[in-house]
Amino acid sequence: MERPRHQGMTKNTYMRWRLPLICLLWEVAMIILFGVFVHFGPEADAHWEEEKREMNLTSDIENDFYFRYPSFQDVHVMIFVGFGFLMTFLKRYGFGAVGFNFLLAAFGIQWALLMQGWFHSFQNGKILIGVENLINADFCVGSVCVAFGAILGKTSPVQLLIMTLFQVTLFAVNEYILLNLLHVKDAGGSMTIHTFGAYFGLTVTRFLYRPNLEQSKDKEGSVYHSDLFAMIGTLYLWMYWPSFNSAISEHGDAQHRAAINTYCSLAACVLTTMAFSSMLQKKGKLDMPILESKLHIQDTCGIHNLHGMPGLIGGIVGAITAAAATEDVYGKEGFIKAFDFTGSYKTRTPSIQGGFQAAGIVVSLLMAFAGGTLVGAILKLPIWGDPADENCFEDDIYWEVPEDEESDVYHMHNPDKAASP
Amino acid sequence: MERPRHQGMTKNTYMRWRLPLICLLWEVAMIILFGVFVHFGPEADAHWEEEKREMNLTSDIENDFYFRYPSFQDVHVMIFVGFGFLMTFLKRYGFGAVGFNFLLAAFGIQWALLMQGWFHSFQNGKILIGVENLINADFCVGSVCVAFGAILGKTSPVQLLIMTLFQVTLFAVNEYILLNLLHVKDAGGSMTIHTFGAYFGLTVTRFLYRPNLEQSKDKEGSVYHSDLFAMIGTLYLWMYWPSFNSAISEHGDAQHRAAINTYCSLAACVLTTMAFSSMLQKKGKLDMPILESKLHIQDTCGIHNLHGMPGLIGGIVGAITAAAATEDVYGKEGFIKAFDFTGSYKTRTPSIQGGFQAAGIVVSLLMAFAGGTLVGAILKLPIWGDPADENCFEDDIYWEVPEDEESDVYHMHNPDKAASP
Amino acid sequence: MERPRHQGMTKNTYMRWRLPLICLLWEVAMIILFGVFVHFGPEADAHWEEEKREMNLTSDIENDFYFRYPSFQDVHVMIFVGFGFLMTFLKRYGFGAVGFNFLLAAFGIQWALLMQGWFHSFQNGKILIGVENLINADFCVGSVCVAFGAILGKTSPVQLLIMTLFQVTLFAVNEYILLNLLHVKDAGGSMTIHTFGAYFGLTVTRFLYRPNLEQSKDKEGSVYHSDLFAMIGTLYLWMYWPSFNSAISEHGDAQHRAAINTYCSLAACVLTTMAFSSMLQKKGKLDMPILESKLHIQDTCGIHNLHGMPGLIGGIVGAITAAAATEDVYGKEGFIKAFDFTGSYKTRTPSIQGGFQAAGIVVSLLMAFAGGTLVGAILKLPIWGDPADENCFEDDIYWEVPEDEESDVYHMHNPDKAASP
């Protein structure tokens, strides 16, 4: 009997039919939906030569692919290596952090391509996809990775897949309301990705509150090498952030500008963060990785500080900046372009735009709380194989873990298991 | 006496003159051959301004460099970090995995530039190289990395360099037959890289069969952190695969399309693989990294499942797709472009093309079996310093290994060594 | 009492007010200086449309961003992951290597943007920045990372920040003398980055000489996994070197050529290095990572062999090549372009250019020795919280280190600490 049974625990974390079933069913659904709906967009289609002539382009290099592909790959690394390894700091949950992040992101991007496609790239019954859609799907999944940070170590892979399905759906709806109905600018995804992702995750984790989780506190620490793995994640998120923020900016100066801005801001953040990290520690020592220092039991990665607050601040600053914008800064042409004050939005003034930006924040928060409540309630059903309190933050329950010094440490804490081979 | 001597073992793994000698001799040969044969191609040459005028290009950005360099760097990371770290899952063979992969790939790309250059970029006695040649050299070496996976832990660095010399040579010949003589399309290198590389490696490992290898079974396991290192390799191979498949596609829509296709297919694979991994484990647990779960003693990394079968399937699907292709899908212009039905191939029909594609698979398999047999026979000669059975899967034999907890574990299994300082 | 007190040590390494104070003060200074001086360059500015018309460009893709951004991101990874992880090979100094490198590089790029901006991009009282400035700032910081290698483990974070401030300043002055006054070509930064950085660092470390450092020799070794982390750093520096060397080359063929040259040279280096590594070890074994094998106590990473000598050799070869250059090789147009023999430099001959190149080496060395002496003297003041000899090469003194097997090893060597909780 390999699973330990303390204090009358009756949780069934056996995944053998549940996980494969849900994975295969959903993948079949994806393949059918892709077959029915997804087509190459004009710039990825073999008819591109005709398209190029129509758009009056002179060279293949003006294909959107060459404007965006390098940034796309950077974003891709952020989602899979950055978020995955960022969360490896827990002593015994490295496989779960990297592996579940991989699973939910890989599922999420498929569903995001469909959901975002129906809202934004739907023409004549077909979703037309190009490199920009791939970036947007990665962005959408980024918000799921943020929410994952709040419930890390306390859920089964089946629960994560269900959360992903709902969160991607709600993300696409929220994004549609903000970008298309409110005509809001959401630089760097402050509202759609960070604010929505963080408060959605926090609402879910509040629902899954475990009053007795304190017991397994000894497993929440890190070990020396797991912190270095987490540093890989941290650095990749930091280094590629300029790509994240510029990946879908307008061609030319706007993309250039977004990258420069992010580069400079991020450099400034490092010094400030180090300063506060050293100031808050009683001997002035630094903590590694710094961003994760406030490890609250029910918000595993501290996403409130990391994404929630910054996202809100970003959103509010965006609203104020919009309200205060003038043609002097942007030039007449650039001004209209920056806020897209064309067509039916021709009459919008900066101050009205500021109001709509503020409305965008409120909508994102409402969607996060309502959606998080719904999903939290669903995940609380006792059929998804979530771990018992004593097994939280432990790879052993869902992964084959090699027998080594790591598990020796484990056996010292779980002597009843050490006896079995 | 540091090397253990069990059961009358007489293997001489002393590398001090053999490895330096072969490295230096070959490097001298490379430098001479590069000096004699290699020149910059037109787009990397200082005469490019004239070239640009002749090709009727309007801007420096239309230099092939800007179409391909980002993808090249992604492929480069796949070869050196991806393949290198993928194979770090063995408990005590991390240095060998990363370090030997580095050694053979660095040698292989030089020899590949020459071999592929003579076949494909030879003009007026000179090999003209540009960024596309670098990518092709990396691809060629990729097939050696695949074969390395089958013999990982059972060969000396000298043997690996000899295998690389032969395999790169045969790869170039096979590639020439397929692409130039049979006029076959080999999307993603299904036939030239994966099928050829895998069956070449499997033939070699069958020749090097060690009936008593079971003894060292305790060294084949992984440890917790080595699995996380392997996950770095896995993720980079997965994330950058769209670059791998699109790196040398035609400019414009074709490159765009190849990247999108790969992105979507790979996402689907993750769910399917997780499903089967969970289904096959008796408690429904997942294995990390999943792709390497079937560790057969004589096919160390399980390359048959990982590259052999997928390569074959890719090749067969390619043949069927070609045979079934119609102008409706590609448009008349795109159709001719996709299969390059120009010049002497003007009269080829899709069904004839399908036949040639099938012939390409057969040729690749024959080259792999014949070449693998030749190389296996050469490597079996008792002069290359291969490890004794008890020293397989151990860094200690060819690398300076630091004394730490790792070696403590080792000493417990090798008490005769623990006594010496 | 957590800090061990041996042999009457009285060093005060308490960072709680010094580090936050210097970080915050400097960051405030940076923000003010950026506010006053820094503006977007023409290609990152919203007025780019007008600029594009003036420069007679036809498409947004001709924005410098698309020529350089992918290379920039590769360089960025080299600085933060490459240099950071390269230095993780020390047994107990992984946090310091990655974390301090992160801190000094993040501060350095801000100061470099200003210093280099005043010298090279200053117009009408404003520094105009674009992607090329970001690359140059990363390059400048690269020379600080090189110098960091010499003093790794022997300095406090405050000392590192002070060194960075001075070194970036001197780098910018030296660069201005070489590139603008002497009109020298510095391919790959041989003189400005490697020679200057290495000899600056070596002068500083000579000043900080610790005669009793031998005591802590047991901490300088590596452990199995720390070597694999170091290999990540090594590989990223190696793989992305073609981007480093081509990142700010002229558009078109020059950038293409620089990347190809570096790719081929680096591949050749691997075999040669492996050969010598194996030859120098008494049993012919290889060392990992090879480049760091000569660990001298006072030049922690052996930067003399790694950057000093290669930089000098690169500089000398550059001088000889320049002196021997002819129009045959470059073509008339390319020849003038390669050395920029225009304007007031129209009359320069190759041999005169060779002389100026040689002068560039001398100037770089003088700047390194004089600057290193100044900075070394400042850092020797007993107010910066540097570690005592017994605490060198130890994360524990400046970082929160998790309690795990790593610290168990530590406690065995420091029994007086094991008693405290």
Side-chain angles (χ1 to χ4, degrees):
Chain A
M1 189 59 220
E2 220 182 46
R3 263 174 300 112
R5 295 173 161 276
H6 301 281
Q7 305 137 320
M9 161 215 146
T10 52
K11 295 267 185 182
N12 176 5
T13 59
Y14 189 78
M15 287 281 121
R16 195 166 180 186
W17 64 267
R18 277 182 286 197
L19 184 59
L21 200 71
I22 197 167
C23 283
L24 290 180
L25 273 180
W26 289 12
E27 195 50 55
V28 169
M30 290 296 118
I31 288 168
I32 293 169
L33 288 169
F34 267 69
V36 173
F37 287 109
V38 176
H39 267 226
F40 293 116
E43 305 195 28
D45 194 276
H47 298 276
W48 153 250
E49 285 298 322
E50 300 149 34
E51 195 70 28
K52 204 165 67 174
R53 277 193 291 272
E54 275 171 38
M55 292 167 74
N56 214 7
L57 302 176
T58 57
S59 165
D60 276 327
I61 195 80
E62 295 182 77
N63 193 306
D64 197 36
F65 182 77
Y66 303 103
F67 286 91
R68 308 209 181 279
Y69 188 73
S71 311
F72 155 66
Q73 273 296 2
D74 293 349
V75 172
H76 217 40
V77 171
M78 291 172 78
I79 299 297
F80 289 90
V81 165
F83 279 110
F85 277 89
L86 182 68
M87 300 188 268
T88 53
F89 64 96
L90 289 174
K91 201 179 292 185
R92 282 205 289 280
Y93 207 68
F95 296 1
V98 178
F100 291 154
N101 185 68
F102 192 18
L103 176 66
L104 70 83
F107 165 63
I109 55 181
Q110 297 175 72
W111 182 232
L113 278 175
L114 290 167
M115 281 302 302
Q116 295 179 317
W118 283 316
F119 277 123
H120 300 287
S121 317
F122 203 56
Q123 278 181 30
N124 305 320
K126 297 290 175 188
I127 296 168
L128 302 178
I129 63 171
V131 64
E132 197 171 335
N133 301 62
L134 308 190
I135 299 170
N136 276 314
D138 271 21
F139 281 172
C140 173
V141 161
S143 94
V144 184
C145 298
V146 167
F148 177 40
I151 57 174
L152 184 70
K154 299 176 293 187
T155 44
S156 75
V158 170
Q159 284 178 306
L160 292 172
L161 285 172
I162 289 167
M163 183 180 89
T164 305
L165 179 76
F166 280 97
Q167 195 179 346
V168 166
T169 309
L170 292 163
F171 179 98
V173 172
N174 187 45
E175 188 185 41
Y176 179 76
I177 295 173
L178 265 66
L179 304 190
N180 295 50
L181 303 187
L182 301 177
H183 200 70
V184 148
K185 288 281 151 189
D186 185 36
S190 302
M191 294 180 262
T192 53
I193 302 172
H194 301 287
T195 304
F196 172 74
Y199 290 103
F200 182 93
L202 290 167
T203 312
V204 171
T205 201
R206 204 194 43 179
F207 249 83
L208 302 180
Y209 187 75
R210 291 160 176 267
N212 303 316
L213 199 54
E214 267 59 45
Q215 302 176 2
S216 54
K217 215 160 191 169
D218 55 309
K219 295 169 205 165
E220 286 157 59
S222 60
V223 290
Y224 196 80
H225 280 151
S226 67
D227 269 346
L228 276 178
F229 280 113
M231 202 61 200
I232 294 176
T234 309
L235 283 176
Y236 272 100
L237 285 174
W238 187 89
M239 293 182 303
Y240 285 165
W241 214 269
S243 299
F244 193 90
N245 279 352
S246 67
I248 57 166
S249 301
E250 295 275 330
H251 292 174
D253 59 294
Q255 199 170 357
H256 201 156
R257 201 160 52 241
I260 294 172
N261 268 341
T262 314
Y263 174 94
C264 295
S265 318
L266 285 170
C269 289
V270 176
L271 261 77
T272 319
T273 313
M274 292 264 185
F276 283 103
S277 169
S278 170
M279 228 181 319
L280 295 170
Q281 208 271 353
K282 66 180 188 304
K283 286 189 164 42
K285 290 190 196 180
L286 294 162
D287 211 330
M288 167 84 77
I290 277 136
L291 297 170
E292 294 151 5
S293 55
K294 299 279 152 297
L295 184 74
H296 296 301
I297 193 86
Q298 311 289 59
D299 171 11
T300 314
C301 292
I303 67 165
H304 186 251
N305 295 321
L306 202 52
H307 297 277
M309 290 304 294
L312 274 181
I313 293 168
I316 292 165
V317 169
I320 295 170
T321 315
T326 65
E327 290 188 9
D328 289 353
V329 181
Y330 290 88
K332 197 177 172 67
E333 228 171 303
F335 181 73
I336 291 168
K337 208 172 142 191
F339 294 101
D340 197 17
F341 285 164
T342 55
S344 55
Y345 302 100
K346 235 177 192 165
T347 56
R348 270 216 189 161
T349 63
S351 58
I352 293 178
Q353 179 68 23
F356 275 99
Q357 299 279 140
I361 307 173
V362 176
V363 171
S364 299
L365 285 172
L366 289 178
M367 291 289 289
F369 293 132
T373 304
L374 173 71
V375 172
I378 293 170
L379 296 190
K380 233 178 150 60
L381 297 177
I383 55 172
W384 310 122
D386 62 312
D389 286 1
E390 327 61 292
N391 295 325
C392 281
F393 311 119
E394 253 190 53
D395 275 334
D396 190 64
I397 201 79
Y398 300 118
W399 297 87
E400 288 265 11
V401 175
E403 294 290 326
D404 60 3
E405 73 271 23
E406 213 66 36
S407 39
D408 292 348
V409 176
Y410 179 71
H411 285 150
M412 287 191 287
H413 294 263
N414 300 268
D416 55 327
K417 282 190 61 175
S420 67
Chain B
M1 189 59 220
E2 220 182 48
R3 264 176 295 110
R5 294 172 162 276
H6 300 283
Q7 307 137 318
M9 159 215 147
T10 51
K11 294 265 186 185
N12 176 5
T13 59
Y14 189 78
M15 287 282 119
R16 197 168 178 186
W17 63 266
R18 278 181 287 197
L19 184 61
L21 199 72
I22 197 167
C23 282
L24 290 180
L25 273 180
W26 288 12
E27 195 50 53
V28 169
M30 290 297 116
I31 288 168
I32 293 170
L33 289 169
F34 267 70
V36 174
F37 286 110
V38 175
H39 267 226
F40 292 117
E43 304 196 28
D45 195 275
H47 298 275
W48 153 250
E49 285 299 321
E50 301 150 31
E51 195 72 26
K52 205 165 68 175
R53 278 194 290 273
E54 276 171 38
M55 290 168 73
N56 215 5
L57 302 177
T58 58
S59 164
D60 275 327
I61 196 81
E62 295 181 79
N63 192 307
D64 197 35
F65 183 78
Y66 303 104
F67 285 93
R68 308 210 181 279
Y69 189 73
S71 311
F72 156 66
Q73 272 296 1
D74 294 349
V75 172
H76 217 39
V77 171
M78 292 172 79
I79 298 297
F80 289 91
V81 166
F83 279 111
F85 277 89
L86 181 69
M87 301 188 268
T88 53
F89 63 96
L90 288 174
K91 201 179 290 186
R92 280 205 291 279
Y93 207 70
F95 294 2
V98 178
F100 291 154
N101 185 68
F102 192 16
L103 176 65
L104 69 83
F107 165 63
I109 55 181
Q110 298 176 72
W111 182 232
L113 278 175
L114 290 166
M115 281 301 303
Q116 294 179 318
W118 284 317
F119 277 122
H120 300 288
S121 316
F122 203 55
Q123 277 181 32
N124 305 320
K126 298 289 176 191
I127 295 167
L128 302 178
I129 63 172
V131 64
E132 196 171 335
N133 300 62
L134 309 189
I135 298 169
N136 275 313
D138 271 23
F139 280 172
C140 174
V141 160
S143 92
V144 184
C145 298
V146 167
F148 178 39
I151 57 173
L152 184 71
K154 299 177 295 188
T155 45
S156 75
V158 171
Q159 284 178 307
L160 292 172
L161 285 173
I162 290 167
M163 183 180 88
T164 304
L165 179 75
F166 279 97
Q167 195 179 345
V168 166
T169 309
L170 292 163
F171 179 97
V173 172
N174 186 45
E175 189 185 41
Y176 179 76
I177 296 173
L178 264 66
L179 304 191
N180 295 50
L181 304 186
L182 300 178
H183 201 71
V184 148
K185 288 281 152 190
D186 186 35
S190 302
M191 294 181 261
T192 54
I193 302 172
H194 301 286
T195 304
F196 172 73
Y199 290 104
F200 182 93
L202 290 168
T203 312
V204 170
T205 202
R206 204 195 44 180
F207 249 82
L208 303 180
Y209 187 75
R210 291 161 177 267
N212 302 317
L213 199 54
E214 268 60 44
Q215 303 176 1
S216 53
K217 216 159 191 172
D218 55 309
K219 295 168 204 166
E220 286 157 58
S222 60
V223 291
Y224 195 80
H225 279 151
S226 67
D227 269 347
L228 275 179
F229 279 113
M231 203 59 201
I232 294 177
T234 310
L235 283 175
Y236 273 100
L237 285 174
W238 187 88
M239 292 181 305
Y240 285 165
W241 215 268
S243 298
F244 193 90
N245 281 351
S246 66
I248 56 166
S249 302
E250 297 275 329
H251 293 173
D253 59 294
Q255 200 171 358
H256 201 156
R257 199 159 54 241
I260 294 171
N261 267 341
T262 315
Y263 175 94
C264 295
S265 316
L266 284 170
C269 288
V270 175
L271 261 77
T272 319
T273 313
M274 292 263 185
F276 283 103
S277 169
S278 171
M279 228 182 316
L280 295 171
Q281 208 271 353
K282 65 181 190 301
K283 286 190 163 46
K285 289 189 193 179
L286 293 162
D287 212 329
M288 165 83 78
I290 278 135
L291 297 171
E292 295 150 4
S293 55
K294 300 278 151 297
L295 184 74
H296 296 302
I297 194 86
Q298 311 290 59
D299 171 13
T300 315
C301 292
I303 66 165
H304 185 251
N305 295 321
L306 202 51
H307 296 277
M309 290 304 294
L312 274 181
I313 292 166
I316 293 164
V317 169
I320 295 169
T321 315
T326 65
E327 291 188 6
D328 291 353
V329 181
Y330 290 86
K332 197 179 172 68
E333 233 171 300
F335 181 72
I336 291 168
K337 207 171 143 191
F339 294 101
D340 197 16
F341 287 162
T342 54
S344 54
Y345 302 101
K346 234 177 192 165
T347 54
R348 271 214 189 161
T349 62
S351 58
I352 293 178
Q353 180 67 24
F356 276 98
Q357 297 279 141
I361 307 172
V362 175
V363 170
S364 299
L365 285 172
L366 289 177
M367 292 288 290
F369 292 133
T373 303
L374 173 72
V375 171
I378 293 170
L379 296 189
K380 231 178 152 61
L381 298 176
I383 55 173
W384 310 123
D386 61 311
D389 285 1
E390 345 33 312
N391 295 325
C392 281
F393 312 119
E394 251 190 54
D395 275 334
D396 191 64
I397 201 79
Y398 300 118
W399 297 88
E400 289 263 11
V401 175
E403 295 288 327
D404 60 3
E405 73 272 22
E406 213 66 35
S407 40
D408 292 348
V409 176
Y410 180 69
H411 287 151
M412 287 190 289
H413 295 263
N414 300 266
D416 53 330
K417 284 190 58 177
S420 67
Chain C
M1 189 59 221
E2 219 182 51
R3 266 177 295 111
R5 294 171 161 275
H6 302 283
Q7 306 136 319
M9 161 216 146
T10 52
K11 295 266 186 182
N12 175 6
T13 59
Y14 189 77
M15 287 282 119
R16 195 167 179 186
W17 63 267
R18 278 182 287 197
L19 184 60
L21 200 70
I22 197 168
C23 283
L24 290 180
L25 274 181
W26 289 12
E27 195 50 53
V28 168
M30 290 297 115
I31 288 167
I32 292 170
L33 289 169
F34 266 69
V36 174
F37 287 109
V38 176
H39 266 227
F40 293 117
E43 305 195 28
D45 195 276
H47 298 275
W48 153 251
E49 284 298 322
E50 301 150 32
E51 196 71 28
K52 204 166 67 175
R53 276 194 291 274
E54 276 171 38
M55 290 168 75
N56 214 5
L57 302 176
T58 56
S59 165
D60 276 328
I61 195 82
E62 295 183 77
N63 192 307
D64 197 36
F65 182 78
Y66 303 103
F67 285 92
R68 308 209 181 280
Y69 188 73
S71 311
F72 156 66
Q73 273 296 0
D74 293 349
V75 172
H76 217 40
V77 171
M78 292 173 78
I79 298 296
F80 290 91
V81 165
F83 279 111
F85 278 89
L86 182 68
M87 300 188 269
T88 53
F89 64 97
L90 289 173
K91 203 179 290 185
R92 281 204 290 279
Y93 207 69
F95 294 3
V98 178
F100 291 154
N101 185 68
F102 192 18
L103 176 65
L104 70 83
F107 165 62
I109 55 181
Q110 297 176 73
W111 183 231
L113 278 175
L114 290 168
M115 281 301 303
Q116 294 179 318
W118 283 317
F119 277 122
H120 300 287
S121 317
F122 202 55
Q123 278 180 31
N124 306 321
K126 296 290 176 190
I127 295 167
L128 302 178
I129 64 172
V131 65
E132 196 171 334
N133 301 62
L134 310 189
I135 298 170
N136 275 313
D138 270 22
F139 281 172
C140 174
V141 160
S143 93
V144 184
C145 298
V146 167
F148 178 39
I151 57 173
L152 184 71
K154 298 176 295 187
T155 44
S156 75
V158 170
Q159 284 178 305
L160 292 173
L161 285 173
I162 289 168
M163 184 180 88
T164 304
L165 180 73
F166 280 97
Q167 195 179 346
V168 166
T169 309
L170 292 164
F171 179 98
V173 172
N174 186 46
E175 188 185 42
Y176 179 74
I177 296 173
L178 264 66
L179 303 191
N180 295 50
L181 303 187
L182 301 178
H183 200 71
V184 148
K185 288 281 152 190
D186 186 36
S190 301
M191 294 181 263
T192 55
I193 302 171
H194 301 286
T195 304
F196 172 74
Y199 290 103
F200 182 93
L202 290 169
T203 312
V204 170
T205 201
R206 206 194 42 180
F207 248 83
L208 303 180
Y209 187 75
R210 293 161 175 266
N212 303 316
L213 199 53
E214 268 59 44
Q215 303 175 3
S216 55
K217 217 159 191 170
D218 57 308
K219 294 169 204 165
E220 286 157 57
S222 61
V223 291
Y224 195 81
H225 279 151
S226 67
D227 269 345
L228 275 178
F229 279 114
M231 203 61 200
I232 293 176
T234 309
L235 283 175
Y236 272 100
L237 285 174
W238 187 89
M239 293 182 303
Y240 284 166
W241 216 270
S243 299
F244 193 90
N245 280 351
S246 66
I248 57 165
S249 302
E250 297 275 329
H251 293 173
D253 58 294
Q255 199 170 358
H256 201 156
R257 200 160 52 242
I260 294 171
N261 267 341
T262 315
Y263 174 93
C264 295
S265 317
L266 284 169
C269 288
V270 176
L271 261 76
T272 319
T273 312
M274 292 264 184
F276 283 103
S277 169
S278 171
M279 228 182 316
L280 294 170
Q281 208 271 353
K282 64 180 189 305
K283 287 190 164 44
K285 289 189 194 178
L286 293 162
D287 211 330
M288 167 84 78
I290 276 136
L291 296 170
E292 293 152 5
S293 54
K294 300 279 150 295
L295 184 74
H296 297 302
I297 195 86
Q298 308 291 59
D299 171 13
T300 316
C301 292
I303 66 164
H304 185 251
N305 296 320
L306 202 52
H307 296 279
M309 290 303 295
L312 274 181
I313 293 168
I316 293 166
V317 170
I320 295 170
T321 316
T326 65
E327 291 188 6
D328 290 353
V329 181
Y330 289 88
K332 197 177 171 67
E333 230 171 301
F335 181 72
I336 291 167
K337 206 173 144 192
F339 295 101
D340 198 14
F341 287 163
T342 55
S344 55
Y345 303 100
K346 235 177 193 164
T347 56
R348 269 213 189 163
T349 62
S351 57
I352 293 177
Q353 180 66 25
F356 276 99
Q357 298 278 142
I361 307 174
V362 176
V363 171
S364 299
L365 285 173
L366 289 177
M367 292 288 289
F369 292 132
T373 303
L374 173 72
V375 171
I378 293 170
L379 297 190
K380 231 177 152 59
L381 299 175
I383 56 174
W384 309 123
D386 60 311
D389 286 0
E390 332 56 295
N391 295 325
C392 282
F393 312 118
E394 252 191 54
D395 275 334
D396 190 64
I397 201 78
Y398 300 118
W399 297 89
E400 289 264 10
V401 175
E403 296 289 328
D404 59 3
E405 74 272 22
E406 213 64 37
S407 41
D408 293 347
V409 175
Y410 180 70
H411 285 151
M412 286 190 286
H413 295 264
N414 300 266
D416 55 326
K417 283 191 60 176
S420 69

